[in-house]
Amino acid sequence: MLAYIGLGSNLENPRAQVELAFTELAALPDCELVARSALYGSTAVGPGEQPDYVNAAALLQTELTPLALLDALQAIEQSHRRVRIEHWGPRTLDLDILLLDQQTIESERLKVPHPYLTQRNFVLYPLADIAPELHLPDGRNLQELIALCPRDGLARLE
């Protein structure tokens, strides 16, 4: 199964947090890191004044079930001392399952495609780095979504 993962950090050296997360994704059991995007700097979305984010996307080939993959990603977040205090608050590392092949999942723990995927430039542009011809399960293509989502506050870092 192909798993598209969004990465983000805005605390404790965000660039290093995201780079280390790529290495950790590549080391997950029953997973292969197929592609990774460039790093992007983005303005924080969320409450209060927050530092800017470093964002990226990864493509994994995985044999893990969706919930096992979610558990593995949350374990990586925990190893980065991720603290969940405030919704959309600052974080050392955020790993989101954006897409799983063409699956649609709606459960208490997991929603795929990610609910905000189509609205976030810091998700869409890194995704385009690794899968420019990508289509969502509903048929929309990534290039159409990007055309509707300006780069406001988003800058490629590398």
Side-chain angles (χ1 to χ4, degrees):
M1 167 173 57
L2 292 176
Y4 296 86
I5 310 298
L7 298 86
S9 174
N10 73 337
L11 296 176
E12 299 180 28
N13 193 346
R15 185 183 289 243
Q17 296 281 359
V18 171
E19 289 289 354
L20 179 56
F22 278 128
T23 302
E24 293 166 324
L25 289 172
L28 283 175
D30 300 316
C31 293
E32 175 190 351
L33 180 62
V34 176
R36 58 165 280 180
S37 72
L39 301 181
Y40 289 81
S42 67
T43 305
V45 173
E49 292 291 321
Q50 293 185 43
D52 288 347
Y53 272 82
V54 172
N55 295 99
L59 175 58
L60 297 177
Q61 175 69 46
T62 182
E63 301 304 317
L64 298 174
T65 66
L67 289 179
L69 179 60
L70 178 62
D71 290 340
L73 297 181
Q74 289 178 343
I76 292 172
E77 289 177 341
Q78 292 307 309
S79 75
H80 288 249
R81 298 182 315 282
R82 164 81 188 259
V83 178
R84 295 174 190 272
I85 296 173
E86 183 175 29
H87 187 59
W88 291 344
R91 58 206 69 173
T92 53
L93 183 65
D94 186 32
L95 298 174
D96 290 325
I97 298 173
L98 304 173
L99 294 161
L100 292 169
D101 283 333
Q102 289 295 305
Q103 293 185 47
T104 299
I105 300 171
E106 190 78 31
S107 74
E108 189 173 315
R109 287 192 64 210
L110 181 61
K111 291 177 179 32
V112 175
H114 189 281
Y116 300 105
L117 181 152
T118 63
Q119 303 164 23
R120 305 283 199 239
N121 62 7
F122 57 84
V123 172
L124 295 173
Y125 286 85
L127 264 180
D129 282 357
I130 60 174
E133 303 302 318
L134 184 68
H135 284 77
L136 275 58
D138 66 8
R140 291 181 291 172
N141 77 53
L142 188 57
Q143 296 307 318
E144 291 170 354
L145 295 171
I146 284 175
L148 299 172
C149 192
R151 281 188 175 262
D152 300 337
L154 185 72
R156 191 176 174 121
L157 299 178
E158 51 179 23

Short mmCIF file of all heavy atoms in Angstrom, two decimals, residues 23-92:
data_model
loop_
_atom_site.label_atom_id
_atom_site.label_comp_id
_atom_site.label_asym_id
_atom_site.label_seq_id
_atom_site.Cartn_x
_atom_site.Cartn_y
_atom_site.Cartn_z
N THR A 23 14.43 9.84 8.33
CA THR A 23 15.27 8.67 8.64
C THR A 23 14.47 7.63 9.41
O THR A 23 14.55 6.43 9.14
CB THR A 23 16.51 9.11 9.44
OG1 THR A 23 17.23 10.08 8.67
CG2 THR A 23 17.40 7.93 9.77
N GLU A 24 13.67 8.10 10.36
CA GLU A 24 12.87 7.18 11.17
C GLU A 24 11.76 6.53 10.35
O GLU A 24 11.44 5.35 10.55
CB GLU A 24 12.29 7.93 12.38
CG GLU A 24 13.40 8.35 13.35
CD GLU A 24 12.95 9.37 14.36
OE1 GLU A 24 12.13 10.25 14.03
OE2 GLU A 24 13.45 9.29 15.50
N LEU A 25 11.17 7.26 9.42
CA LEU A 25 10.16 6.66 8.53
C LEU A 25 10.80 5.56 7.69
O LEU A 25 10.20 4.49 7.50
CB LEU A 25 9.54 7.73 7.63
CG LEU A 25 8.61 8.73 8.29
CD1 LEU A 25 8.23 9.84 7.31
CD2 LEU A 25 7.36 8.07 8.85
N ALA A 26 11.99 5.81 7.19
CA ALA A 26 12.69 4.81 6.37
C ALA A 26 13.02 3.55 7.15
O ALA A 26 13.14 2.47 6.57
CB ALA A 26 13.97 5.42 5.79
N ALA A 27 13.13 3.67 8.46
CA ALA A 27 13.49 2.53 9.31
C ALA A 27 12.28 1.77 9.86
O ALA A 27 12.46 0.75 10.54
CB ALA A 27 14.37 3.01 10.47
N LEU A 28 11.07 2.24 9.57
CA LEU A 28 9.89 1.55 10.09
C LEU A 28 9.82 0.12 9.54
O LEU A 28 10.08 -0.10 8.35
CB LEU A 28 8.61 2.29 9.70
CG LEU A 28 8.27 3.55 10.47
CD1 LEU A 28 7.04 4.22 9.86
CD2 LEU A 28 8.05 3.26 11.94
N PRO A 29 9.44 -0.84 10.39
CA PRO A 29 9.30 -2.21 9.89
C PRO A 29 8.20 -2.30 8.83
O PRO A 29 7.19 -1.59 8.92
CB PRO A 29 8.90 -3.02 11.14
CG PRO A 29 8.83 -2.07 12.27
CD PRO A 29 9.13 -0.69 11.79
N ASP A 30 8.42 -3.14 7.85
CA ASP A 30 7.44 -3.37 6.77
C ASP A 30 7.12 -2.11 5.98
O ASP A 30 6.03 -1.97 5.43
CB ASP A 30 6.14 -3.99 7.32
CG ASP A 30 6.40 -5.32 7.99
OD1 ASP A 30 7.15 -6.14 7.43
OD2 ASP A 30 5.85 -5.55 9.08
N CYS A 31 8.08 -1.18 5.94
CA CYS A 31 7.91 0.07 5.20
C CYS A 31 9.19 0.38 4.43
O CYS A 31 10.28 0.06 4.87
CB CYS A 31 7.63 1.25 6.14
SG CYS A 31 6.06 1.17 7.01
N GLU A 32 9.00 1.03 3.29
CA GLU A 32 10.12 1.53 2.51
C GLU A 32 9.83 2.98 2.17
O GLU A 32 8.74 3.30 1.67
CB GLU A 32 10.28 0.71 1.23
CG GLU A 32 11.37 1.24 0.32
CD GLU A 32 11.37 0.57 -1.05
OE1 GLU A 32 10.65 -0.42 -1.25
OE2 GLU A 32 12.09 1.08 -1.93
N LEU A 33 10.79 3.85 2.44
CA LEU A 33 10.66 5.25 2.05
C LEU A 33 10.93 5.34 0.55
O LEU A 33 12.06 5.13 0.10
CB LEU A 33 11.63 6.13 2.84
CG LEU A 33 11.59 7.63 2.54
CD1 LEU A 33 10.24 8.23 2.86
CD2 LEU A 33 12.69 8.36 3.29
N VAL A 34 9.90 5.63 -0.22
CA VAL A 34 10.00 5.66 -1.69
C VAL A 34 10.42 7.04 -2.18
O VAL A 34 11.19 7.16 -3.13
CB VAL A 34 8.64 5.25 -2.32
CG1 VAL A 34 8.67 5.38 -3.83
CG2 VAL A 34 8.26 3.85 -1.88
N ALA A 35 9.92 8.09 -1.54
CA ALA A 35 10.22 9.45 -1.97
C ALA A 35 10.03 10.41 -0.81
O ALA A 35 9.26 10.14 0.11
CB ALA A 35 9.31 9.86 -3.13
N ARG A 36 10.74 11.52 -0.90
CA ARG A 36 10.58 12.60 0.08
C ARG A 36 10.61 13.92 -0.65
O ARG A 36 11.28 14.07 -1.66
CB ARG A 36 11.64 12.53 1.16
CG ARG A 36 13.06 12.61 0.64
CD ARG A 36 14.07 12.89 1.70
NE ARG A 36 14.09 14.33 2.00
CZ ARG A 36 14.88 14.87 2.90
NH1 ARG A 36 15.70 14.14 3.60
NH2 ARG A 36 14.86 16.17 3.11
N SER A 37 9.87 14.86 -0.14
CA SER A 37 9.81 16.19 -0.77
C SER A 37 10.96 17.05 -0.27
O SER A 37 11.69 16.70 0.65
CB SER A 37 8.48 16.86 -0.41
OG SER A 37 8.48 17.28 0.95
N ALA A 38 11.04 18.22 -0.87
CA ALA A 38 11.88 19.27 -0.32
C ALA A 38 11.27 19.72 1.00
O ALA A 38 10.13 19.37 1.33
CB ALA A 38 11.94 20.44 -1.30
N LEU A 39 12.03 20.50 1.74
CA LEU A 39 11.51 21.12 2.96
C LEU A 39 10.91 22.47 2.60
O LEU A 39 11.43 23.18 1.73
CB LEU A 39 12.63 21.31 3.99
CG LEU A 39 13.36 20.05 4.44
CD1 LEU A 39 14.42 20.42 5.47
CD2 LEU A 39 12.40 19.02 5.00
N TYR A 40 9.83 22.83 3.29
CA TYR A 40 9.15 24.09 3.07
C TYR A 40 8.99 24.82 4.38
O TYR A 40 8.72 24.20 5.42
CB TYR A 40 7.76 23.86 2.47
CG TYR A 40 7.78 23.39 1.04
CD1 TYR A 40 8.02 22.07 0.71
CD2 TYR A 40 7.56 24.30 0.00
CE1 TYR A 40 8.05 21.64 -0.60
CE2 TYR A 40 7.59 23.88 -1.33
CZ TYR A 40 7.83 22.55 -1.62
OH TYR A 40 7.87 22.15 -2.93
N GLY A 41 9.13 26.12 4.36
CA GLY A 41 8.82 26.95 5.51
C GLY A 41 7.42 27.50 5.34
O GLY A 41 7.04 27.91 4.24
N SER A 42 6.64 27.47 6.42
CA SER A 42 5.26 27.96 6.33
C SER A 42 4.88 28.71 7.60
O SER A 42 5.42 28.45 8.68
CB SER A 42 4.29 26.80 6.09
OG SER A 42 4.23 25.96 7.22
N THR A 43 3.95 29.61 7.43
CA THR A 43 3.40 30.35 8.55
C THR A 43 2.50 29.42 9.35
O THR A 43 1.74 28.64 8.77
CB THR A 43 2.59 31.55 8.03
OG1 THR A 43 3.43 32.33 7.17
CG2 THR A 43 2.08 32.42 9.16
N ALA A 44 2.59 29.49 10.65
CA ALA A 44 1.80 28.61 11.52
C ALA A 44 0.31 28.87 11.35
O ALA A 44 -0.13 30.01 11.22
CB ALA A 44 2.19 28.81 12.98
N VAL A 45 -0.46 27.76 11.34
CA VAL A 45 -1.91 27.82 11.35
C VAL A 45 -2.31 27.33 12.73
O VAL A 45 -1.99 26.21 13.11
CB VAL A 45 -2.52 26.88 10.27
CG1 VAL A 45 -4.02 26.81 10.42
CG2 VAL A 45 -2.13 27.35 8.89
N GLY A 46 -2.97 28.15 13.48
CA GLY A 46 -3.36 27.72 14.82
C GLY A 46 -3.44 28.88 15.78
O GLY A 46 -3.29 30.04 15.39
N PRO A 47 -3.67 28.56 17.04
CA PRO A 47 -3.90 29.59 18.05
C PRO A 47 -2.63 30.34 18.45
O PRO A 47 -1.54 29.79 18.46
CB PRO A 47 -4.46 28.79 19.24
CG PRO A 47 -3.86 27.43 19.07
CD PRO A 47 -3.75 27.22 17.60
N GLY A 48 -2.80 31.61 18.79
CA GLY A 48 -1.72 32.40 19.36
C GLY A 48 -0.54 32.62 18.42
O GLY A 48 -0.56 32.25 17.26
N GLU A 49 0.49 33.23 18.97
CA GLU A 49 1.73 33.45 18.24
C GLU A 49 2.55 32.17 18.30
O GLU A 49 2.84 31.66 19.38
CB GLU A 49 2.51 34.60 18.85
CG GLU A 49 1.87 35.95 18.69
CD GLU A 49 1.88 36.42 17.24
OE1 GLU A 49 2.89 36.19 16.55
OE2 GLU A 49 0.86 36.99 16.81
N GLN A 50 2.91 31.65 17.12
CA GLN A 50 3.71 30.44 17.05
C GLN A 50 4.86 30.66 16.09
O GLN A 50 4.73 31.43 15.14
CB GLN A 50 2.89 29.26 16.53
CG GLN A 50 1.79 28.78 17.41
CD GLN A 50 1.15 27.52 16.83
OE1 GLN A 50 1.84 26.62 16.35
NE2 GLN A 50 -0.16 27.46 16.87
N PRO A 51 5.97 29.94 16.31
CA PRO A 51 7.04 30.01 15.32
C PRO A 51 6.58 29.40 14.00
O PRO A 51 5.65 28.59 13.96
CB PRO A 51 8.15 29.14 15.94
CG PRO A 51 7.76 28.87 17.34
CD PRO A 51 6.28 29.10 17.45
N ASP A 52 7.25 29.80 12.91
CA ASP A 52 6.96 29.22 11.61
C ASP A 52 7.29 27.73 11.61
O ASP A 52 8.08 27.25 12.43
CB ASP A 52 7.77 29.92 10.52
CG ASP A 52 7.28 31.33 10.23
OD1 ASP A 52 6.17 31.69 10.68
OD2 ASP A 52 8.02 32.07 9.57
N TYR A 53 6.68 27.02 10.67
CA TYR A 53 6.86 25.57 10.55
C TYR A 53 7.86 25.23 9.46
O TYR A 53 8.06 26.00 8.52
CB TYR A 53 5.53 24.90 10.18
CG TYR A 53 4.70 24.54 11.38
CD1 TYR A 53 3.91 25.50 11.99
CD2 TYR A 53 4.72 23.26 11.91
CE1 TYR A 53 3.15 25.18 13.10
CE2 TYR A 53 3.96 22.94 13.01
CZ TYR A 53 3.18 23.90 13.60
OH TYR A 53 2.44 23.59 14.70
N VAL A 54 8.43 24.05 9.59
CA VAL A 54 9.09 23.37 8.50
C VAL A 54 8.19 22.19 8.16
O VAL A 54 7.81 21.42 9.05
CB VAL A 54 10.52 22.89 8.88
CG1 VAL A 54 11.10 22.00 7.80
CG2 VAL A 54 11.42 24.09 9.13
N ASN A 55 7.82 22.09 6.88
CA ASN A 55 6.91 21.03 6.43
C ASN A 55 7.54 20.25 5.29
O ASN A 55 8.41 20.74 4.58
CB ASN A 55 5.59 21.63 5.94
CG ASN A 55 4.81 22.29 7.04
OD1 ASN A 55 4.86 23.50 7.17
ND2 ASN A 55 4.11 21.52 7.83
N ALA A 56 7.04 19.03 5.11
CA ALA A 56 7.50 18.17 4.02
C ALA A 56 6.47 17.07 3.84
O ALA A 56 5.49 16.97 4.59
CB ALA A 56 8.87 17.58 4.35
N ALA A 57 6.70 16.22 2.84
CA ALA A 57 5.86 15.05 2.60
C ALA A 57 6.75 13.86 2.28
O ALA A 57 7.85 14.03 1.74
CB ALA A 57 4.88 15.30 1.47
N ALA A 58 6.26 12.69 2.62
CA ALA A 58 6.97 11.44 2.34
C ALA A 58 6.02 10.45 1.72
O ALA A 58 4.81 10.46 2.00
CB ALA A 58 7.56 10.86 3.63
N LEU A 59 6.56 9.59 0.90
CA LEU A 59 5.81 8.49 0.32
C LEU A 59 6.42 7.19 0.80
O LEU A 59 7.61 6.95 0.61
CB LEU A 59 5.85 8.56 -1.21
CG LEU A 59 5.20 7.39 -1.97
CD1 LEU A 59 3.74 7.23 -1.60
CD2 LEU A 59 5.35 7.61 -3.47
N LEU A 60 5.59 6.39 1.46
CA LEU A 60 6.01 5.08 1.96
C LEU A 60 5.29 3.98 1.20
O LEU A 60 4.10 4.10 0.92
CB LEU A 60 5.66 4.91 3.45
CG LEU A 60 6.29 5.82 4.48
CD1 LEU A 60 5.72 5.50 5.86
CD2 LEU A 60 7.79 5.68 4.48
N GLN A 61 6.01 2.92 0.93
CA GLN A 61 5.38 1.65 0.53
C GLN A 61 5.32 0.86 1.82
O GLN A 61 6.34 0.64 2.46
CB GLN A 61 6.24 0.93 -0.52
CG GLN A 61 5.73 -0.44 -0.90
CD GLN A 61 4.42 -0.38 -1.67
OE1 GLN A 61 4.26 0.40 -2.59
NE2 GLN A 61 3.48 -1.20 -1.28
N THR A 62 4.13 0.45 2.23
CA THR A 62 4.00 -0.21 3.53
C THR A 62 3.11 -1.43 3.46
O THR A 62 2.16 -1.48 2.68
CB THR A 62 3.47 0.77 4.61
OG1 THR A 62 3.41 0.09 5.86
CG2 THR A 62 2.10 1.31 4.26
N GLU A 63 3.44 -2.39 4.31
CA GLU A 63 2.60 -3.57 4.50
C GLU A 63 1.79 -3.45 5.79
O GLU A 63 1.01 -4.34 6.13
CB GLU A 63 3.48 -4.84 4.56
CG GLU A 63 4.32 -5.06 3.30
CD GLU A 63 3.49 -5.13 2.03
OE1 GLU A 63 2.42 -5.77 2.04
OE2 GLU A 63 3.91 -4.52 1.02
N LEU A 64 1.98 -2.36 6.52
CA LEU A 64 1.26 -2.15 7.77
C LEU A 64 -0.21 -1.84 7.49
O LEU A 64 -0.54 -1.23 6.47
CB LEU A 64 1.87 -0.99 8.57
CG LEU A 64 3.31 -1.15 9.03
CD1 LEU A 64 3.81 0.14 9.68
CD2 LEU A 64 3.44 -2.34 9.99
N THR A 65 -1.08 -2.22 8.42
CA THR A 65 -2.47 -1.81 8.33
C THR A 65 -2.55 -0.31 8.61
O THR A 65 -1.63 0.26 9.21
CB THR A 65 -3.35 -2.56 9.35
OG1 THR A 65 -2.95 -2.14 10.67
CG2 THR A 65 -3.23 -4.07 9.20
N PRO A 66 -3.62 0.35 8.22
CA PRO A 66 -3.72 1.79 8.49
C PRO A 66 -3.54 2.14 9.97
O PRO A 66 -2.80 3.08 10.30
CB PRO A 66 -5.12 2.14 7.99
CG PRO A 66 -5.35 1.18 6.86
CD PRO A 66 -4.73 -0.10 7.34
N LEU A 67 -4.16 1.40 10.87
CA LEU A 67 -4.02 1.74 12.29
C LEU A 67 -2.64 1.39 12.83
O LEU A 67 -2.11 2.11 13.69
CB LEU A 67 -5.12 1.07 13.12
CG LEU A 67 -6.51 1.66 12.92
CD1 LEU A 67 -7.55 0.92 13.75
CD2 LEU A 67 -6.55 3.15 13.20
N ALA A 68 -2.01 0.34 12.32
CA ALA A 68 -0.64 0.02 12.73
C ALA A 68 0.31 1.13 12.25
O ALA A 68 1.25 1.51 12.98
CB ALA A 68 -0.22 -1.34 12.19
N LEU A 69 0.07 1.64 11.06
CA LEU A 69 0.89 2.76 10.56
C LEU A 69 0.67 3.99 11.43
O LEU A 69 1.63 4.66 11.81
CB LEU A 69 0.55 3.05 9.11
CG LEU A 69 1.31 4.22 8.47
CD1 LEU A 69 2.82 3.99 8.49
CD2 LEU A 69 0.82 4.46 7.05
N LEU A 70 -0.57 4.29 11.76
CA LEU A 70 -0.86 5.42 12.64
C LEU A 70 -0.14 5.27 13.97
O LEU A 70 0.49 6.21 14.47
CB LEU A 70 -2.37 5.55 12.87
CG LEU A 70 -2.82 6.67 13.80
CD1 LEU A 70 -2.43 8.04 13.25
CD2 LEU A 70 -4.33 6.59 14.03
N ASP A 71 -0.19 4.08 14.55
CA ASP A 71 0.51 3.83 15.82
C ASP A 71 2.02 4.05 15.67
O ASP A 71 2.66 4.64 16.55
CB ASP A 71 0.25 2.40 16.32
CG ASP A 71 -1.19 2.20 16.80
OD1 ASP A 71 -1.88 3.20 17.10
OD2 ASP A 71 -1.61 1.02 16.87
N ALA A 72 2.59 3.59 14.56
CA ALA A 72 4.03 3.75 14.33
C ALA A 72 4.39 5.23 14.19
O ALA A 72 5.41 5.68 14.73
CB ALA A 72 4.45 2.97 13.08
N LEU A 73 3.55 5.99 13.50
CA LEU A 73 3.81 7.42 13.35
C LEU A 73 3.70 8.14 14.69
O LEU A 73 4.52 9.01 15.01
CB LEU A 73 2.84 8.04 12.34
CG LEU A 73 2.93 7.53 10.90
CD1 LEU A 73 1.92 8.25 10.03
CD2 LEU A 73 4.33 7.65 10.34
N GLN A 74 2.72 7.76 15.48
CA GLN A 74 2.57 8.39 16.80
C GLN A 74 3.73 8.03 17.72
O GLN A 74 4.16 8.85 18.53
CB GLN A 74 1.22 8.03 17.41
CG GLN A 74 0.09 8.73 16.68
CD GLN A 74 -1.30 8.38 17.19
OE1 GLN A 74 -1.50 7.39 17.89
NE2 GLN A 74 -2.27 9.20 16.82
N ALA A 75 4.28 6.84 17.57
CA ALA A 75 5.46 6.45 18.36
C ALA A 75 6.66 7.33 17.97
O ALA A 75 7.44 7.74 18.85
CB ALA A 75 5.77 4.97 18.17
N ILE A 76 6.80 7.61 16.69
CA ILE A 76 7.88 8.51 16.26
C ILE A 76 7.67 9.90 16.84
O ILE A 76 8.60 10.52 17.37
CB ILE A 76 7.99 8.56 14.72
CG1 ILE A 76 8.47 7.22 14.17
CG2 ILE A 76 8.94 9.69 14.28
CD1 ILE A 76 8.42 7.12 12.64
N GLU A 77 6.43 10.39 16.79
CA GLU A 77 6.14 11.70 17.39
C GLU A 77 6.52 11.71 18.86
O GLU A 77 7.12 12.67 19.34
CB GLU A 77 4.65 12.02 17.25
CG GLU A 77 4.17 12.35 15.86
CD GLU A 77 2.67 12.58 15.79
OE1 GLU A 77 1.93 12.16 16.70
OE2 GLU A 77 2.24 13.19 14.79
N GLN A 78 6.17 10.65 19.58
CA GLN A 78 6.49 10.58 21.01
C GLN A 78 7.99 10.57 21.25
O GLN A 78 8.46 11.14 22.23
CB GLN A 78 5.83 9.35 21.64
CG GLN A 78 4.32 9.42 21.70
CD GLN A 78 3.80 10.69 22.35
OE1 GLN A 78 4.22 11.05 23.44
NE2 GLN A 78 2.91 11.39 21.67
N SER A 79 8.74 9.92 20.36
CA SER A 79 10.20 9.90 20.52
C SER A 79 10.80 11.30 20.33
O SER A 79 11.91 11.56 20.78
CB SER A 79 10.85 8.90 19.55
OG SER A 79 10.87 9.40 18.24
N HIS A 80 10.05 12.18 19.70
CA HIS A 80 10.45 13.58 19.52
C HIS A 80 9.85 14.46 20.62
O HIS A 80 9.84 15.68 20.48
CB HIS A 80 10.02 14.10 18.15
CG HIS A 80 10.81 13.55 17.02
ND1 HIS A 80 11.67 14.32 16.27
CD2 HIS A 80 10.89 12.30 16.50
CE1 HIS A 80 12.24 13.56 15.34
NE2 HIS A 80 11.77 12.35 15.45
N ARG A 81 9.32 13.84 21.65
CA ARG A 81 8.71 14.52 22.80
C ARG A 81 7.52 15.39 22.38
O ARG A 81 7.32 16.50 22.89
CB ARG A 81 9.76 15.34 23.55
CG ARG A 81 10.86 14.50 24.14
CD ARG A 81 11.89 15.26 24.94
NE ARG A 81 12.41 16.49 24.37
CZ ARG A 81 13.33 16.57 23.41
NH1 ARG A 81 13.83 15.49 22.89
NH2 ARG A 81 13.75 17.75 22.99
N ARG A 82 6.71 14.86 21.46
CA ARG A 82 5.49 15.54 21.04
C ARG A 82 4.54 15.61 22.23
O ARG A 82 4.27 14.61 22.88
CB ARG A 82 4.84 14.78 19.88
CG ARG A 82 3.40 15.12 19.58
CD ARG A 82 3.27 16.39 18.74
NE ARG A 82 1.90 16.82 18.62
CZ ARG A 82 1.12 16.61 17.56
NH1 ARG A 82 1.59 15.97 16.53
NH2 ARG A 82 -0.10 17.08 17.53
N VAL A 83 4.03 16.80 22.51
CA VAL A 83 3.06 17.00 23.58
C VAL A 83 1.78 17.52 22.95
O VAL A 83 1.80 18.50 22.20
CB VAL A 83 3.61 18.00 24.62
CG1 VAL A 83 2.58 18.24 25.72
CG2 VAL A 83 4.92 17.51 25.21
N ARG A 84 0.67 16.86 23.26
CA ARG A 84 -0.62 17.27 22.71
C ARG A 84 -1.41 18.03 23.78
O ARG A 84 -2.19 17.45 24.51
CB ARG A 84 -1.41 16.04 22.25
CG ARG A 84 -0.75 15.32 21.10
CD ARG A 84 -1.49 14.02 20.76
NE ARG A 84 -0.75 13.22 19.84
CZ ARG A 84 -0.82 13.33 18.52
NH1 ARG A 84 -1.63 14.20 17.97
NH2 ARG A 84 -0.08 12.58 17.74
N ILE A 85 -1.16 19.34 23.83
CA ILE A 85 -1.84 20.18 24.82
C ILE A 85 -2.96 20.98 24.17
O ILE A 85 -4.06 21.06 24.68
CB ILE A 85 -0.83 21.15 25.49
CG1 ILE A 85 0.20 20.34 26.28
CG2 ILE A 85 -1.55 22.14 26.39
CD1 ILE A 85 1.33 21.17 26.84
N GLU A 86 -2.66 21.55 23.02
CA GLU A 86 -3.58 22.48 22.37
C GLU A 86 -3.77 22.06 20.91
O GLU A 86 -2.80 21.83 20.19
CB GLU A 86 -2.95 23.87 22.44
CG GLU A 86 -3.77 24.98 21.90
CD GLU A 86 -3.09 26.33 22.14
OE1 GLU A 86 -1.85 26.39 22.20
OE2 GLU A 86 -3.83 27.31 22.25
N HIS A 87 -5.04 21.96 20.49
CA HIS A 87 -5.32 21.61 19.09
C HIS A 87 -4.69 22.66 18.19
O HIS A 87 -4.88 23.85 18.37
CB HIS A 87 -6.84 21.55 18.88
CG HIS A 87 -7.24 21.06 17.53
ND1 HIS A 87 -6.87 19.82 17.07
CD2 HIS A 87 -7.94 21.65 16.55
CE1 HIS A 87 -7.37 19.65 15.85
NE2 HIS A 87 -8.02 20.75 15.51
N TRP A 88 -3.89 22.18 17.20
CA TRP A 88 -3.17 23.04 16.26
C TRP A 88 -2.13 23.90 16.96
O TRP A 88 -1.72 24.93 16.43
CB TRP A 88 -4.11 23.90 15.43
CG TRP A 88 -4.91 23.13 14.43
CD1 TRP A 88 -4.69 21.86 14.00
CD2 TRP A 88 -6.06 23.58 13.72
NE1 TRP A 88 -5.63 21.50 13.08
CE2 TRP A 88 -6.48 22.54 12.89
CE3 TRP A 88 -6.78 24.78 13.72
CZ2 TRP A 88 -7.59 22.64 12.06
CZ3 TRP A 88 -7.87 24.88 12.89
CH2 TRP A 88 -8.27 23.82 12.08
N GLY A 89 -1.70 23.49 18.14
CA GLY A 89 -0.68 24.22 18.86
C GLY A 89 0.71 23.87 18.34
O GLY A 89 0.87 23.02 17.47
N PRO A 90 1.74 24.53 18.88
CA PRO A 90 3.11 24.25 18.46
C PRO A 90 3.50 22.81 18.78
O PRO A 90 2.96 22.20 19.71
CB PRO A 90 3.95 25.24 19.27
CG PRO A 90 3.06 25.86 20.27
CD PRO A 90 1.66 25.53 19.93
N ARG A 91 4.43 22.26 17.99
CA ARG A 91 4.82 20.87 18.21
C ARG A 91 6.23 20.60 17.70
O ARG A 91 6.67 21.22 16.74
CB ARG A 91 3.84 19.91 17.54
CG ARG A 91 3.74 20.15 16.05
CD ARG A 91 2.45 19.75 15.45
NE ARG A 91 1.39 20.61 15.91
CZ ARG A 91 0.17 20.57 15.46
NH1 ARG A 91 -0.18 19.72 14.55
NH2 ARG A 91 -0.74 21.39 15.91
N THR A 92 6.87 19.64 18.36
CA THR A 92 8.20 19.23 17.92
C THR A 92 8.11 18.45 16.62
O THR A 92 8.97 18.58 15.76
CB THR A 92 8.90 18.36 18.98
OG1 THR A 92 8.04 17.29 19.33
CG2 THR A 92 9.28 19.17 20.20
#
